Short mmCIF file of all heavy atoms in Angstrom, two decimals:
data_model
loop_
_atom_site.label_atom_id
_atom_site.label_comp_id
_atom_site.label_asym_id
_atom_site.label_seq_id
_atom_site.Cartn_x
_atom_site.Cartn_y
_atom_site.Cartn_z
N THR F 35 -2.09 -4.56 8.47
CA THR F 35 -1.44 -3.70 9.45
C THR F 35 -0.02 -4.18 9.70
O THR F 35 0.25 -5.40 9.62
CB THR F 35 -2.21 -3.71 10.79
OG1 THR F 35 -2.34 -5.06 11.24
CG2 THR F 35 -3.56 -3.04 10.64
N PRO F 36 0.92 -3.28 9.97
CA PRO F 36 0.74 -1.84 9.85
C PRO F 36 0.74 -1.41 8.39
O PRO F 36 1.07 -2.21 7.51
CB PRO F 36 1.97 -1.30 10.58
CG PRO F 36 3.03 -2.34 10.33
CD PRO F 36 2.30 -3.66 10.34
N ARG F 37 0.39 -0.18 8.11
CA ARG F 37 0.45 0.32 6.74
C ARG F 37 1.87 0.73 6.36
O ARG F 37 2.26 0.64 5.20
CB ARG F 37 -0.48 1.53 6.57
CG ARG F 37 -1.96 1.21 6.68
CD ARG F 37 -2.44 0.31 5.53
NE ARG F 37 -2.03 0.79 4.22
CZ ARG F 37 -2.70 1.69 3.51
NH1 ARG F 37 -3.82 2.20 3.99
NH2 ARG F 37 -2.25 2.06 2.33
N HIS F 38 2.63 1.16 7.34
CA HIS F 38 4.03 1.55 7.12
C HIS F 38 4.88 0.96 8.24
O HIS F 38 4.45 0.92 9.39
CB HIS F 38 4.17 3.07 7.11
CG HIS F 38 3.33 3.75 6.08
ND1 HIS F 38 3.74 3.93 4.78
CD2 HIS F 38 2.08 4.26 6.15
CE1 HIS F 38 2.79 4.55 4.09
NE2 HIS F 38 1.76 4.76 4.90
N LEU F 39 6.08 0.53 7.88
CA LEU F 39 6.98 -0.06 8.87
C LEU F 39 8.42 0.24 8.49
O LEU F 39 8.82 0.02 7.36
CB LEU F 39 6.76 -1.58 8.92
CG LEU F 39 7.64 -2.37 9.90
CD1 LEU F 39 7.38 -1.92 11.33
CD2 LEU F 39 7.36 -3.87 9.76
N VAL F 40 9.17 0.75 9.47
CA VAL F 40 10.60 0.96 9.30
C VAL F 40 11.29 0.06 10.32
O VAL F 40 10.94 0.08 11.51
CB VAL F 40 10.99 2.43 9.54
CG1 VAL F 40 12.49 2.61 9.36
CG2 VAL F 40 10.23 3.35 8.60
N MET F 41 12.24 -0.73 9.87
CA MET F 41 12.92 -1.63 10.79
C MET F 41 14.39 -1.75 10.45
O MET F 41 14.79 -1.59 9.28
CB MET F 41 12.27 -3.00 10.81
CG MET F 41 12.22 -3.73 9.48
SD MET F 41 11.26 -5.26 9.56
CE MET F 41 12.32 -6.32 10.54
N GLY F 42 15.18 -2.02 11.48
CA GLY F 42 16.59 -2.26 11.28
C GLY F 42 16.81 -3.72 10.90
O GLY F 42 15.91 -4.56 11.02
N MET F 43 17.99 -4.00 10.43
CA MET F 43 18.29 -5.35 9.95
C MET F 43 18.30 -6.39 11.06
O MET F 43 18.16 -7.58 10.78
CB MET F 43 19.62 -5.34 9.19
CG MET F 43 19.54 -4.60 7.86
SD MET F 43 21.01 -4.81 6.84
CE MET F 43 22.16 -3.77 7.72
N THR F 44 18.41 -5.97 12.30
CA THR F 44 18.43 -6.93 13.39
C THR F 44 17.07 -7.09 14.07
O THR F 44 16.91 -7.89 14.98
CB THR F 44 19.47 -6.53 14.45
OG1 THR F 44 19.14 -5.22 14.94
CG2 THR F 44 20.86 -6.51 13.85
N ASN F 45 16.09 -6.30 13.62
CA ASN F 45 14.77 -6.34 14.26
C ASN F 45 13.98 -7.58 13.84
O ASN F 45 14.27 -8.21 12.82
CB ASN F 45 13.96 -5.10 13.87
CG ASN F 45 14.50 -3.82 14.46
OD1 ASN F 45 14.23 -2.74 13.95
ND2 ASN F 45 15.26 -3.92 15.54
N LYS F 46 12.96 -7.87 14.64
CA LYS F 46 11.95 -8.87 14.29
C LYS F 46 10.60 -8.16 14.32
O LYS F 46 10.26 -7.52 15.32
CB LYS F 46 11.93 -10.02 15.29
CG LYS F 46 13.10 -10.95 15.22
CD LYS F 46 12.89 -12.13 16.17
CE LYS F 46 14.06 -13.10 16.10
NZ LYS F 46 13.84 -14.26 17.00
N LYS F 47 9.86 -8.31 13.25
CA LYS F 47 8.54 -7.70 13.17
C LYS F 47 7.60 -8.66 12.45
O LYS F 47 8.05 -9.62 11.80
CB LYS F 47 8.58 -6.38 12.40
CG LYS F 47 9.42 -5.29 13.04
CD LYS F 47 8.74 -4.71 14.26
CE LYS F 47 9.57 -3.54 14.81
NZ LYS F 47 8.95 -2.98 16.04
N SER F 48 6.30 -8.38 12.54
CA SER F 48 5.32 -9.19 11.83
C SER F 48 4.32 -8.31 11.11
O SER F 48 3.90 -7.28 11.64
CB SER F 48 4.57 -10.10 12.82
OG SER F 48 5.44 -11.04 13.40
N LEU F 49 3.95 -8.74 9.92
CA LEU F 49 2.88 -8.11 9.16
C LEU F 49 1.62 -8.94 9.33
O LEU F 49 1.69 -10.18 9.34
CB LEU F 49 3.24 -8.01 7.68
CG LEU F 49 4.59 -7.42 7.32
CD1 LEU F 49 4.72 -7.31 5.79
CD2 LEU F 49 4.82 -6.09 7.99
N LYS F 50 0.49 -8.24 9.43
CA LYS F 50 -0.78 -8.94 9.64
C LYS F 50 -1.74 -8.65 8.50
O LYS F 50 -1.81 -7.52 8.00
CB LYS F 50 -1.41 -8.51 10.95
CG LYS F 50 -2.75 -9.16 11.26
CD LYS F 50 -3.33 -8.63 12.56
CE LYS F 50 -4.71 -9.23 12.83
NZ LYS F 50 -5.31 -8.69 14.07
N SER F 90 14.48 -17.63 3.96
CA SER F 90 13.92 -18.06 5.25
C SER F 90 13.76 -16.91 6.23
O SER F 90 13.12 -17.09 7.28
CB SER F 90 14.81 -19.14 5.86
OG SER F 90 16.11 -18.64 6.05
N ARG F 91 14.29 -15.75 5.93
CA ARG F 91 14.08 -14.60 6.81
C ARG F 91 12.64 -14.11 6.74
O ARG F 91 12.21 -13.27 7.53
CB ARG F 91 15.05 -13.48 6.49
CG ARG F 91 15.03 -12.96 5.07
CD ARG F 91 16.15 -11.94 4.87
NE ARG F 91 16.13 -11.34 3.55
CZ ARG F 91 16.80 -11.85 2.51
NH1 ARG F 91 17.53 -12.94 2.65
NH2 ARG F 91 16.73 -11.25 1.32
N PHE F 92 11.87 -14.64 5.78
CA PHE F 92 10.42 -14.41 5.71
C PHE F 92 9.72 -15.70 6.12
O PHE F 92 9.93 -16.74 5.50
CB PHE F 92 9.99 -14.04 4.29
CG PHE F 92 10.55 -12.74 3.80
CD1 PHE F 92 11.75 -12.72 3.09
CD2 PHE F 92 9.88 -11.55 4.01
CE1 PHE F 92 12.28 -11.52 2.63
CE2 PHE F 92 10.40 -10.35 3.55
CZ PHE F 92 11.60 -10.34 2.86
N SER F 93 8.87 -15.61 7.12
CA SER F 93 8.20 -16.80 7.63
C SER F 93 6.70 -16.55 7.71
O SER F 93 6.25 -15.74 8.52
CB SER F 93 8.76 -17.15 9.01
OG SER F 93 8.06 -18.24 9.57
N LEU F 104 3.04 -12.47 8.22
CA LEU F 104 4.37 -12.62 7.63
C LEU F 104 5.37 -12.15 8.67
O LEU F 104 5.43 -10.96 9.00
CB LEU F 104 4.50 -11.82 6.34
CG LEU F 104 5.78 -12.03 5.54
CD1 LEU F 104 5.89 -13.48 5.07
CD2 LEU F 104 5.84 -11.09 4.34
N HIS F 105 6.10 -13.10 9.22
CA HIS F 105 7.08 -12.78 10.25
C HIS F 105 8.43 -12.46 9.58
O HIS F 105 8.87 -13.20 8.69
CB HIS F 105 7.23 -13.95 11.23
CG HIS F 105 5.94 -14.37 11.86
ND1 HIS F 105 5.21 -13.52 12.68
CD2 HIS F 105 5.24 -15.54 11.79
CE1 HIS F 105 4.13 -14.14 13.11
NE2 HIS F 105 4.13 -15.38 12.58
N LEU F 106 9.01 -11.38 10.04
CA LEU F 106 10.24 -10.86 9.42
C LEU F 106 11.38 -10.85 10.43
O LEU F 106 11.19 -10.41 11.57
CB LEU F 106 10.01 -9.43 8.93
CG LEU F 106 8.69 -9.13 8.20
CD1 LEU F 106 8.54 -7.64 7.97
CD2 LEU F 106 8.64 -9.90 6.90
N HIS F 107 12.55 -11.31 10.01
CA HIS F 107 13.71 -11.21 10.91
C HIS F 107 14.99 -11.16 10.09
O HIS F 107 15.12 -11.80 9.07
CB HIS F 107 13.74 -12.38 11.91
CG HIS F 107 13.94 -13.72 11.27
ND1 HIS F 107 15.17 -14.33 11.16
CD2 HIS F 107 13.06 -14.56 10.71
CE1 HIS F 107 15.02 -15.50 10.58
NE2 HIS F 107 13.75 -15.67 10.29
N THR F 108 15.92 -10.38 10.59
CA THR F 108 17.22 -10.14 9.94
C THR F 108 17.07 -9.83 8.46
O THR F 108 17.70 -10.47 7.60
CB THR F 108 18.19 -11.32 10.15
OG1 THR F 108 17.62 -12.51 9.61
CG2 THR F 108 18.50 -11.49 11.60
N LEU F 109 16.20 -8.87 8.16
CA LEU F 109 15.99 -8.50 6.76
C LEU F 109 17.15 -7.67 6.23
O LEU F 109 17.97 -7.16 7.00
CB LEU F 109 14.69 -7.70 6.63
CG LEU F 109 13.39 -8.46 6.91
CD1 LEU F 109 12.20 -7.64 6.43
CD2 LEU F 109 13.38 -9.82 6.26
N GLN F 110 17.19 -7.57 4.92
CA GLN F 110 18.21 -6.81 4.22
C GLN F 110 17.58 -5.56 3.59
O GLN F 110 16.37 -5.54 3.32
CB GLN F 110 18.83 -7.67 3.12
CG GLN F 110 19.41 -8.98 3.62
CD GLN F 110 20.55 -8.76 4.60
OE1 GLN F 110 21.47 -7.98 4.33
NE2 GLN F 110 20.49 -9.42 5.75
N PRO F 111 18.37 -4.54 3.32
CA PRO F 111 17.80 -3.33 2.69
C PRO F 111 17.05 -3.63 1.40
O PRO F 111 16.05 -2.96 1.10
CB PRO F 111 19.04 -2.46 2.45
CG PRO F 111 19.98 -2.85 3.54
CD PRO F 111 19.78 -4.34 3.73
N GLU F 112 17.49 -4.63 0.65
CA GLU F 112 16.80 -4.95 -0.61
C GLU F 112 15.43 -5.57 -0.40
O GLU F 112 14.68 -5.78 -1.37
CB GLU F 112 17.66 -5.87 -1.49
CG GLU F 112 18.02 -7.20 -0.86
CD GLU F 112 19.38 -7.18 -0.18
OE1 GLU F 112 19.82 -6.10 0.28
OE2 GLU F 112 20.00 -8.25 -0.12
N ASP F 113 15.09 -5.87 0.84
CA ASP F 113 13.75 -6.37 1.14
C ASP F 113 12.74 -5.23 1.29
O ASP F 113 11.54 -5.49 1.45
CB ASP F 113 13.77 -7.19 2.44
CG ASP F 113 14.63 -8.44 2.32
OD1 ASP F 113 14.62 -9.06 1.23
OD2 ASP F 113 15.31 -8.79 3.30
N SER F 114 13.21 -4.02 1.25
CA SER F 114 12.29 -2.87 1.29
C SER F 114 11.37 -2.93 0.08
O SER F 114 11.84 -3.04 -1.06
CB SER F 114 13.08 -1.56 1.28
OG SER F 114 13.93 -1.48 2.41
N ALA F 115 10.08 -2.86 0.34
CA ALA F 115 9.09 -3.00 -0.75
C ALA F 115 7.70 -2.80 -0.17
O ALA F 115 7.53 -2.61 1.03
CB ALA F 115 9.20 -4.39 -1.39
N TYR F 117 4.45 -4.83 0.61
CA TYR F 117 4.02 -6.21 0.79
C TYR F 117 2.50 -6.25 0.78
O TYR F 117 1.83 -5.63 1.61
CB TYR F 117 4.61 -6.79 2.08
CG TYR F 117 6.08 -7.04 1.92
CD1 TYR F 117 7.00 -6.01 2.15
CD2 TYR F 117 6.57 -8.27 1.47
CE1 TYR F 117 8.36 -6.21 1.95
CE2 TYR F 117 7.92 -8.47 1.27
CZ TYR F 117 8.81 -7.44 1.50
OH TYR F 117 10.15 -7.63 1.29
N THR F 136 1.52 -3.15 3.07
CA THR F 136 2.40 -2.59 4.10
C THR F 136 3.66 -2.12 3.40
O THR F 136 4.34 -2.91 2.74
CB THR F 136 2.79 -3.63 5.16
OG1 THR F 136 1.63 -4.01 5.91
CG2 THR F 136 3.83 -3.06 6.12
N ARG F 137 3.95 -0.83 3.53
CA ARG F 137 5.17 -0.27 2.96
C ARG F 137 6.29 -0.48 3.95
O ARG F 137 6.27 0.07 5.05
CB ARG F 137 4.98 1.21 2.67
CG ARG F 137 6.23 1.94 2.19
CD ARG F 137 6.64 1.58 0.80
NE ARG F 137 5.66 1.92 -0.21
CZ ARG F 137 5.76 1.54 -1.49
NH1 ARG F 137 6.79 0.83 -1.89
NH2 ARG F 137 4.83 1.90 -2.34
N LEU F 138 7.26 -1.31 3.59
CA LEU F 138 8.35 -1.69 4.49
C LEU F 138 9.66 -1.04 4.05
O LEU F 138 10.03 -1.10 2.88
CB LEU F 138 8.52 -3.21 4.50
CG LEU F 138 9.72 -3.75 5.28
CD1 LEU F 138 9.58 -3.47 6.77
CD2 LEU F 138 9.89 -5.23 5.04
N LEU F 139 10.34 -0.45 5.00
CA LEU F 139 11.66 0.11 4.75
C LEU F 139 12.63 -0.53 5.74
O LEU F 139 12.43 -0.46 6.95
CB LEU F 139 11.66 1.63 4.92
CG LEU F 139 13.01 2.34 4.77
CD1 LEU F 139 13.56 2.15 3.37
CD2 LEU F 139 12.88 3.83 5.09
N VAL F 140 13.66 -1.16 5.20
CA VAL F 140 14.68 -1.81 6.03
C VAL F 140 15.95 -0.96 5.98
O VAL F 140 16.51 -0.72 4.89
CB VAL F 140 14.98 -3.24 5.53
CG1 VAL F 140 16.03 -3.89 6.43
CG2 VAL F 140 13.71 -4.06 5.49
N LEU F 141 16.38 -0.52 7.14
CA LEU F 141 17.56 0.35 7.20
C LEU F 141 18.80 -0.43 7.58
O LEU F 141 18.73 -1.45 8.28
CB LEU F 141 17.32 1.48 8.21
CG LEU F 141 16.12 2.38 7.91
CD1 LEU F 141 15.92 3.37 9.05
CD2 LEU F 141 16.34 3.12 6.59
#
Side-chain angles (χ1 to χ4, degrees):
Chain F
T35 55
R37 293 294 311 274
H38 302 274
L39 179 62
V40 180
M41 59 187 289
M43 290 190 286
T44 59
N45 292 158
K46 288 186 179 181
K47 297 287 184 182
S48 295
L49 310 184
K50 179 182 177 182
S90 59
R91 57 185 184 270
F92 295 92
S93 175
L104 187 62
H105 304 298
L106 316 172
H107 65 96
T108 60
L109 293 193
Q110 304 297 311
E112 59 265 29
D113 296 323
S114 299
Y117 288 85
T136 294
R137 175 71 62 188
L138 174 65
L139 176 63
V140 181
L141 300 175

